[in-house]
Amino acid sequence: MVTMSEVAKAAGVSVMTVSNVINGHRYVSDATRDRVLAAVDRLGYRVNVAARSLRSGSTGIIGLAVPDIDTPYFGQLASLLIERAARLGYQVVVEQTGATRENELGALAHSRVRRYDGLILSTVELGDEDADQLRSDLPVVALGERLSGGHAVDHVAMANVEGARDATRHLIERGCRRIAAFGAQPGPEVNANSLRTAGYHEALTDAGLDPSPELAVPCAFSMAGGAAAARSLLAGGIPFDGAVCFTDTVAIGALRALADHGVAVPDEVKVIGFDDVEQGRYTVPSLSTIAPGHSEMVDAALRMLGDRIAGRRGEDEHEMFTGPHQLVIRQSTGGP
Amino acid sequence: MVTMSEVAKAAGVSVMTVSNVINGHRYVSDATRDRVLAAVDRLGYRVNVAARSLRSGSTGIIGLAVPDIDTPYFGQLASLLIERAARLGYQVVVEQTGATRENELGALAHSRVRRYDGLILSTVELGDEDADQLRSDLPVVALGERLSGGHAVDHVAMANVEGARDATRHLIERGCRRIAAFGAQPGPEVNANSLRTAGYHEALTDAGLDPSPELAVPCAFSMAGGAAAARSLLAGGIPFDGAVCFTDTVAIGALRALADHGVAVPDEVKVIGFDDVEQGRYTVPSLSTIAPGHSEMVDAALRMLGDRIAGRRGEDEHEMFTGPHQLVIRQSTGGP
DNA sequence: TTGTAGGCGTTATCAC
DNA sequence: GTGATAACGCCTACAA
């Protein structure tokens, strides 16, 4: 392993001069710089980041903890984050929690966190009761909904209520009267399910429609979940003419199940998702959805993390950002 | 930041004893161990990996360079790799190259590589002419096809020729006679396109069918690419009754375009993909495909990397592994 | 403009 | 069983 002192020896200068050249500091003559760079090239010297980290106290690495990266939503999130972080000079370690509370806590608690300058934690199962754990010395930004606010974390959220409300309202405007909600799960907890359920109910109530409990079908946020939810209604003979799916993956699964049962979308049932994953442009029919402002969310998360790493915000000042949301109309609700 | 020496002081022992406890070494009495662990807990001590890395010379980090992680194929690859690597005690830094040769080389050349114990490089644009660059002091495993073999790298590949041949043969057995290839690009280079094209031709020839150049449509390995390829045939009025798509994403795009043109799959045209991404189970119709043995490939890559990191293989001994492939029959070719 | 000394936190070695 | 010491490679001060 080539070290600075070997380069220094080869170039006939001191270690410090090599360091200055490597880090682009001033006060190095052109001649010296050239000699050093030549030696660097010749010997194949590369900075040892471990030593640099030890010295500087920072690692240049951000952790990203998500349930599973092989999922359209989290894949897109990770892709954006890695790209933007790279521009800021950070690399990203991806941890998969499998959406278990245990692993989400693990991402915080494990010794490995000493490796990160900051952590972006996409919480799914982490609830209010765990918020204390987030008070670590590690800068953390929570990305998700399972926190009711007022907690000791910076937080980036989606417009869950408003998005689900707009999606439901859109179906109502398109003439639907019996609108199912796939992924619904009313409850006191603050999470994507309950917030979107609230938005769904809000739109129904605003339109003078009665929420029918049998149309609020809980399901996993996955294609399999969406397919199962749709099948359960179809098999039960419960009529519906619209489906608000709480994620695009749920919607894709629902489209699949509807196709299996020979139900025409959008003619007999209109379907809308939530997330605006790229996939939705290519389903048959293409999928209407709520775009939750991924790009803005990633930017906000990085900005918050950067501020905190740099100590630009006090221990007890916490920021909150909600992504802008937008209705995207495609074929599954009668769009072009 | 709590250090070992603070813990040592609190527990009334030396730093070395703390280190021994942390690392589970022998020769520590139970009483001492308990005292140390209590102090660790009380002070919230966490190992500083930078210092440990500096000392040990290894980082516990593997790099994974892929074109874009927000893609079903690479997402699945990354997910599997992160999971398996975690079990081996490694974390994974994901780099996105955008499939440019420049960035793929960058993943190798940049100073940052000193951060990795090893690198898994999913080559797309890196060709034979770059193989020399792979001769770095960093353990590297190439995952992909753009290398003709005999090079100075460990290499994990897919059964491209055989997979494409089996896919094509399957369409022929199902009665197709004018079979398009979306993503085809014959040529002397060794890459996924040309190898799969070769397999496609092989199956046609074996069956006594003439490869018709107008049916070999080059396209990007993406949904947009597949849609464009299918549209170009449809718009050109070129008849075809089968389509071998060189990736599942291409196939999903093709399904979309066929649906737009009112072409029934599988009745009028049978479609098969390559990769077996989860998505393909939920398309309408569900997608027949070639499963390339992802799991085995990831295991092989990690094993090779591990061997090399541990120095269990000589500088000039290089290994090569080809994943097992399997035909998966779903609705798009008349399956259940 | 260049060089010297010291320490970041950890662990291997070797005494005790 | 436990502890003192010396590195690992780099960079901030300070000195020359």
Side-chain angles (χ1 to χ4, degrees), chain A residues 1-10 18 22 36 39-49 51, chain B residues 114 137:
Chain A
M1 184 146 60
V2 188
T3 73
M4 269 195 180
S5 68
E6 295 179 49
V7 175
K9 198 174 298 173
V18 178
I22 295 289
V36 169
V40 164
D41 254 20
R42 186 151 35 85
L43 301 177
Y45 169 77
R46 299 280 137 75
V47 174
N48 178 324
V49 285
Chain B
R114 255 280 192 286
D137 46 352

Side-chain angles (χ1 to χ4, degrees), chain A residues 139-334:
Chain A
V140 172
V141 171
L143 203 57
E145 325 307 333
R146 199 77 189 280
L147 295 164
S148 51
H151 282 295
V153 225
D154 293 319
H155 193 182
V156 174
M158 280 190 205
N160 284 294
V161 177
E162 300 78 2
R165 189 195 56 207
D166 290 359
T168 311
R169 190 178 286 165
H170 171 61
L171 293 188
I172 294 170
E173 284 167 359
R174 294 279 163 141
C176 301
R177 284 303 170 266
R178 286 190 51 83
I179 300 175
F182 294 158
Q185 199 166 46
E189 299 150 40
V190 177
N191 56 31
N193 308 57
S194 64
L195 293 171
R196 293 178 194 183
T197 305
Y200 161 72
H201 280 147
E202 193 176 317
L204 291 180
T205 309
D206 286 355
L209 296 173
D210 257 351
S212 158
E214 62 188 5
L215 291 177
V217 188
C219 74
F221 280 7
S222 65
M223 295 185 280
R231 273 192 214 108
S232 80
L233 283 195
L234 293 165
I238 300 168
F240 63 108
D241 56 9
V244 176
C245 301
F246 282 13
T247 72
D248 280 357
T249 47
V250 166
I252 291 169
L255 288 179
R256 170 75 253 186
L258 289 165
D260 287 344
H261 284 254
V263 177
V265 177
D267 294 344
E268 299 176 61
V269 171
K270 298 194 190 347
V271 174
I272 186 166
F274 200 120
D275 279 346
D276 193 24
V277 304
E278 202 208 346
Q279 193 53 56
R281 298 166 203 264
Y282 293 90
T283 52
V284 180
S286 60
L287 185 65
S288 296
T289 192
I290 298 295
H294 285 117
S295 181
E296 290 86 350
M297 288 173 68
V298 166
D299 283 342
L302 275 175
R303 190 178 41 69
M304 288 181 189
L305 205 58
D307 284 352
R308 201 155 284 281
I309 290 171
R312 278 195 291 274
R313 217 169 29 259
E315 271 294 305
D316 297 313
E317 280 173 79
H318 291 281
E319 214 179 325
M320 165 85 179
F321 174 87
T322 303
H325 71 289
Q326 198 177 358
L327 175 66
V328 179
I329 302 172
R330 300 207 187 92
Q331 295 170 340
S332 66
T333 59

Side-chain angles (χ1 to χ4, degrees), chain B residues 5 18 25 27 58 116 118 140 144 163 171 180 185 197 224 234 248 257 263 265 282-283 292 294 314:
Chain B
S5 68
V18 178
H25 286 171
Y27 306 135
S58 71
Y116 304 148
V140 172
L171 293 187
Q185 198 165 46
T197 304
L234 293 165
D248 281 358
V263 176
V265 177
Y282 292 90
T283 52
H294 285 116

Side-chain angles (χ1 to χ4, degrees), chain B residues 43-263:
Chain B
L43 302 177
Y45 168 77
R46 299 279 139 74
V47 173
N48 179 323
V49 285
R52 177 179 280 179
S53 288
L54 177 57
R55 208 26 247 222
S56 71
S58 71
T59 62
I61 293 189
I62 289 176
L64 172 68
V66 295
D68 179 4
I69 199 169
D70 181 26
T71 247
Y73 173 67
F74 292 110
Q76 188 165 345
L77 191 73
S79 177
L80 279 173
L81 185 75
I82 290 168
E83 181 199 328
R84 308 273 163 91
R87 278 192 224 148
L88 301 175
Y90 283 103
Q91 291 191 280
V92 177
V93 163
V94 177
E95 293 194 40
Q96 297 187 123
T97 61
T100 66
R101 177 163 167 277
E102 190 183 14
N103 286 339
E104 288 179 359
L105 281 173
L108 272 174
H110 262 52
S111 77
R112 75 185 91 150
V113 297
R114 255 280 192 286
R115 169 167 284 159
Y116 304 148
D117 286 348
L119 177 66
I120 294 181
L121 184 58
S122 198
T123 53
V124 172
E125 289 303 329
L126 224 53
D128 281 355
E129 66 276 20
D130 302 308
D132 289 348
Q133 303 282 343
L134 296 171
R135 299 185 51 83
S136 63
D137 46 352
L138 176 79
V140 172
V141 172
L143 203 57
E145 324 307 334
R146 199 77 189 278
L147 294 165
S148 52
H151 281 296
V153 225
D154 292 321
H155 192 182
V156 174
M158 280 190 204
N160 285 294
V161 177
E162 300 80 1
R165 189 194 56 207
D166 290 0
T168 310
R169 188 178 287 166
H170 172 60
L171 293 187
I172 294 170
E173 284 167 359
R174 294 278 162 142
C176 302
R177 285 301 170 266
R178 287 193 49 85
I179 301 175
F182 294 158
Q185 198 165 46
E189 298 150 42
V190 177
N191 57 28
N193 307 56
S194 65
L195 292 171
R196 293 177 193 183
T197 304
Y200 161 73
H201 281 147
E202 192 176 318
L204 291 180
T205 309
D206 286 355
L209 296 173
D210 257 352
S212 160
E214 63 187 5
L215 290 177
V217 187
C219 73
F221 280 8
S222 65
M223 295 185 281
R231 271 191 217 110
S232 80
L233 283 195
L234 293 165
I238 300 168
F240 63 108
D241 56 9
V244 176
C245 302
F246 282 13
T247 72
D248 281 358
T249 47
V250 167
I252 291 169
L255 287 179
R256 170 74 253 187
L258 290 166
D260 287 345
H261 284 254
V263 176

Side-chain angles (χ1 to χ4, degrees), chain B residues 11-35:
Chain B
V13 298
S14 76
V15 264
M16 229 14 250
T17 300
V18 178
S19 174
N20 285 329
V21 170
I22 295 289
N23 296 293
H25 286 171
R26 302 146 308 184
Y27 306 135
V28 181
S29 71
D30 289 353
T32 309
R33 183 192 323 282
D34 290 348
R35 214 144 28 92

